[in-house]
Amino acid sequence: MPPNRIIVHVDLDYFFAQIEELENPQYRGKPVVVGVYSGRTDESGAVSTANYIARRFGVRSGMPISWAKRALRNEEAVFLPVNRERYNIISDQIMDILRSCGDKFEQVSVDEAYLDVSEKLLGHFERAEELGRGIKASIGEKVGLTCSVGIAPNKLVAKIAANSVKPDGLTIVLPDAVVDFLRPLPVGRLYGIGKKTEEILTARGLRTIGDLADQPVDQLSQIFGKTLGNYFHQSANGIDDSEVKERGLPKSLSRIITLKSDTRKMDELWPTLEILCNDLTQKIHTYGIAFRIVGIIAITSNMSVQSRSLSLNEAVTDKSVLLDSVERLLKDYLSESRQDLRRIGVRISAFSPVAVQRSLSSFLG
Ligand code: TTP
Ligand code: MG
Ligand code: MG
């Protein structure tokens, strides 16, 4: 057992909006707001996220789009609808990279994951910086996005560290520095302390994590009950023994490629799809998993995103089944659409461990 636990938290910067910037370089330098439009008017709906330029004008996740439009009324701002399918593919790609960077991996949201790297670094915190830089460089080179990384002796502190310097941050909190790192931060930065709890604490003069750490645990238990009181006390003192829980199989794997030139011709698309299918088949062999759902994602010249998927009768590992499925989906799609494609992707999901799969037999329902 290494002497120190070393836990990494990775969170992508302004994730949905950064993907939009990556795919549309003309947006760079402008405020970019991505939101869910509820349909009634082009003002109704909520902001999912905004780039850091838009945040300077007060735009935040969760606020009504109409507020964001007002805040940015004098700017050349870009407002875009959420396109989860595209973001999920990029998320898959990032998680796939991160999964290979640690001894244990836990994805916690579309743009966040924990890694346990204790064994990998043999408990040597002095190697954490190089590792953190390596993770950021991999995501930068392979996906083209920036992220913020926190490295600390536990999950609680690693996450706070990652969020403490953004965008493109790398924050390492050594075991000896945990308490001093936490003390000046507002109590709301602790996991589980939302707006309401923060108000209760602030009303009692407990503004910072340091204030909370100095509070006798009995008093916290009187206010919040024993379980929560204990939890707050431990958290404020930087104590967290929770494990990085591997969540077994990945939910999905996908690959997407920008075509050399826009096209809707099967014979021009096919070599690219073969590369994607080869790549995915290699991945599933590495993981020892079989897939049951196959999908294609087509992004047209005008950036509209179309997808098609099908379910197999049972999970398989065969490349030939993957290729046949993709061919069928693509033919269906091309027969319905007249537009040229700019990017094409393949996604597989509904995984099971390889032991339960059989092969070709049951192709397609
Ligand atoms: P976050 O990681 O919370 O935010 P972010 O990546 O946009 O910005 P940053 O981490 O640099 O502060 O969320 C990840 C994505 O989840 C975000 O890009 C959009 C989506 N999201 C919503 O759709 N609604 C929300 O209220 C939040 C907080 C996020
Ligand atoms: Mg993020
Ligand atoms: Mg996040």
Side-chain angles (χ1 to χ4, degrees):
M1 209 33 199
N4 286 316
R5 281 214 304 156
I6 307 182
I7 308 297
V8 181
H9 181 87
V10 180
D11 186 298
L12 275 288
D13 302 318
Y14 62 103
F15 188 49
F16 293 1
Q18 201 187 165
I19 295 174
E20 297 292 349
E21 284 184 0
L22 176 71
E23 293 176 353
N24 305 280
Q26 70 274 22
Y27 298 160
R28 284 189 195 269
K30 297 178 181 172
V32 178
V33 181
V34 180
V36 177
Y37 290 82
S38 49
R40 204 173 286 251
T41 70
D42 64 1
E43 299 255 311
S44 55
V47 172
S48 300
T49 194
N51 68 358
Y52 280 73
I53 303 174
R55 291 184 200 190
R56 277 190 236 138
F57 295 84
V59 178
R60 295 285 180 276
S61 297
M63 74 166 36
I65 287 170
S66 55
W67 293 16
K69 290 217 160 151
R70 208 172 316 134
L72 293 166
R73 65 188 174 280
N74 297 324
E75 305 303 311
E76 220 185 299
V78 182
F79 284 81
L80 301 164
V82 164
N83 205 318
R84 268 311 282 260
E85 273 178 276
R86 235 161 78 229
Y87 312 150
N88 282 342
I89 292 177
I90 308 243
S91 170
D92 284 351
Q93 219 177 324
I94 293 165
M95 295 306 155
D96 209 29
I97 295 169
L98 291 176
R99 197 177 276 115
S100 67
C101 291
D103 312 313
K104 286 194 224 161
F105 164 84
E106 178 180 357
Q107 179 175 355
V108 282
S109 82
V110 67
D111 82 332
E112 261 169 74
Y114 290 103
L115 302 173
D116 187 325
V117 295
S118 316
E119 298 280 342
K120 182 171 179 151
L121 300 189
L122 302 168
H124 291 305
F125 253 99
E126 54 278 24
R127 289 164 60 186
E129 181 169 344
E130 191 187 343
L131 179 105
R133 286 193 193 291
I135 290 173
K136 287 164 70 75
S138 285
I139 296 178
E141 283 156 21
K142 293 180 189 155
V143 189
L145 297 178
T146 66
C147 61
S148 297
V149 174
I151 309 182
N154 59 49
K155 288 166 80 174
L156 167 91
V157 181
K159 182 174 164 88
I160 296 174
N163 285 314
S164 71
V165 182
K166 252 184 172 296
D168 205 13
L170 171 59
T171 308
I172 298 167
V173 183
L174 300 175
D176 291 347
V178 163
V179 171
D180 288 340
F181 170 74
L182 293 178
R183 282 195 72 88
L185 302 176
V187 284
R189 298 288 281 278
L190 290 177
Y191 182 76
I193 300 196
K195 277 251 155 6
K196 271 222 173 98
T197 312
E198 188 167 6
E199 278 168 21
I200 297 172
L201 290 168
T202 310
R204 291 171 185 265
L206 306 174
R207 279 167 214 288
T208 65
I209 297 179
D211 294 338
L212 193 60
D214 292 340
Q215 196 71 2
V217 63
D218 292 346
Q219 281 187 23
L220 291 175
S221 298
Q222 271 171 23
I223 309 170
F224 296 104
K226 201 158 182 175
T227 311
L228 214 52
N230 257 328
Y231 167 75
F232 288 161
H233 181 75
Q234 298 251 329
S235 295
N237 285 286
I239 300 164
D240 170 27
D241 295 329
S242 62
E243 298 276 328
V244 173
K245 285 189 264 337
E246 297 207 55
R247 304 213 173 153
L249 306 176
K251 277 211 190 96
S252 58
L253 291 168
S254 46
R255 287 284 176 272
I256 192 158
I257 283 188
T258 303
L259 298 158
K260 287 201 185 76
S261 54
D262 294 8
T263 179
R264 62 180 308 286
K265 293 200 186 106
M266 190 69 181
D267 57 339
E268 289 176 13
L269 292 165
W270 194 245
T272 303
L273 285 164
E274 279 187 315
I275 294 172
L276 299 178
C277 291
N278 271 334
D279 218 26
L280 287 172
T281 322
Q282 269 180 17
K283 276 283 166 213
I284 62 165
H285 287 312
T286 314
Y287 288 123
I289 53 181
F291 57 92
R292 201 170 52 74
I293 295 180
V294 180
I296 58 162
I297 300 94
I299 299 177
T300 60
S301 306
N302 59 2
M303 292 308 278
S304 109
V305 182
Q306 313 286 329
S307 63
R308 296 282 186 281
S309 66
L310 60 78
S311 287
L312 304 169
N313 279 340
E314 61 183 341
V316 298
T317 57
D318 312 76
K319 186 159 82 189
S320 57
V321 176
L322 182 58
L323 286 165
D324 287 350
S325 306
V326 166
E327 184 180 5
R328 189 169 124 174
L329 290 166
L330 187 66
K331 279 187 174 154
D332 278 359
Y333 169 74
L334 291 173
S335 70
E336 291 161 21
S337 157
R338 303 257 66 85
Q339 286 192 316
D340 282 346
L341 304 187
R342 178 187 293 188
R343 311 184 77 206
I344 185 89
V346 177
R347 185 167 211 239
I348 50 176
S349 55
F351 296 133
S352 42
V354 111
V356 300
Q357 64 92 26
R358 263 162 278 143
S359 68
L360 264 174
S361 58
S362 60
F363 179 39
L364 297 183

